Amino acid sequence: MMRWKTNDADVFLKSGEYVDSLLIPLTPLDFKQNFKSTVTMGEYTEMLCTEIERQLHGRMFLSPNFTYLKEHGPIEQLKSLIDHATASGHFKHIFLMTSDVYWKEFEHTITGQLFWVPALPLESMDEKHRHEVIKEQVKPLFQLIFNEWQRGINS
Amino acid sequence: MSKEDISRRQFLNYTLTGVGGFMAAGMLMPMVRFALDPILKEGSDQKMVAVTSIEELSNEPKRFDFKIKQKDGWYESDVTQSAWVYKAKNGDIIALSPICKHLGCTVDWNTDPSHPNQFFCPCHLGRYTKDGTNVKGTAPLAPLDVYESQVKDGKLYLGKAKPRKGA
């Protein structure tokens, strides 16, 4: 596991040279009119991130959620977070995962790969099907991640 | 036959020993259990889980996901585990853990075009041959773990993944 846990931090500091990728879930908050759909987005993003982290935790560090209120224009804060992560020297590859379409327009101004995956309503599905769906959804993302890593080798 | 078969003194002795014994046992049992608890617990983790029917298996490794119950103190959670399963030439069923021995990524079968028919770890390009032996010169230093497996009523049951000696 490579998550925001003290034990993981120890492993990370020991084998840091191998863990060169950071995955940041971008999670919108809204306790007013879009409460439920916002929760759905966050849950979906989290499921995708968990699955990716489960399969790639030897190289991918899963960051805690980057939570924000849309009306605060969180783009600058995200940019400075990414700058901070890059400047730490730990991470060569930054991946961002979200279901919030807000970020789509900033895709090209962000250093890091943005995965925008619209949330599917999975709450009525049973555990097993849900896992199947997530696995299918994550597959193409793996390909994008591998491509990004490949580029890192070639360049 | 007569009333003198058992004296009042004896009767009291018996009853007091009996009751005292129960009380002592009641006090000691939790202590003994507490001391032995980790040993007793071990057994419950060993449960084998039905993963697939054996008809679905072939010579080509196939990935199966299954859930096991993991107890962490009082907190019980379902953990998804995967296994690469295939039939070896001699008919044995081999179930390998997909967890890369390098840093724990999930390995895939036959996904590296330049090295076909091997397990491949996308994180640091680790490779394993079909029987799970790590390829020398790649990142991992030990072969993939092997699940304890058992076939019962046409179904494959998997237990714990056991590590093996390095190549």
Side-chain angles (χ1 to χ4, degrees), chain A residues 18 55 57-59 127 135 146, chain B residues 65 103-106 122-124:
Chain A
Y18 293 109
Q55 298 211 23
H57 64 243
R59 189 163 178 183
E127 197 49 46
K135 254 174 37 187
F146 298 158
Chain B
D65 290 354
L103 281 173
C105 292
T106 306
C123 284
H124 304 98

Side-chain angles (χ1 to χ4, degrees), chain A residues 11 15 17-19 57-59, chain B residues 98-105 107 121-128 134 138-144:
Chain A
V11 177
S15 50
E17 55 191 310
Y18 293 109
V19 185
H57 64 243
R59 189 163 178 183
Chain B
I99 309 294
C100 181
K101 297 300 278 187
H102 179 222
L103 281 173
C105 292
V107 301
C121 177
C123 284
H124 304 98
L125 316 179
R127 284 183 281 123
Y128 304 84
N134 50 310
T138 65
L141 296 171
L144 293 173

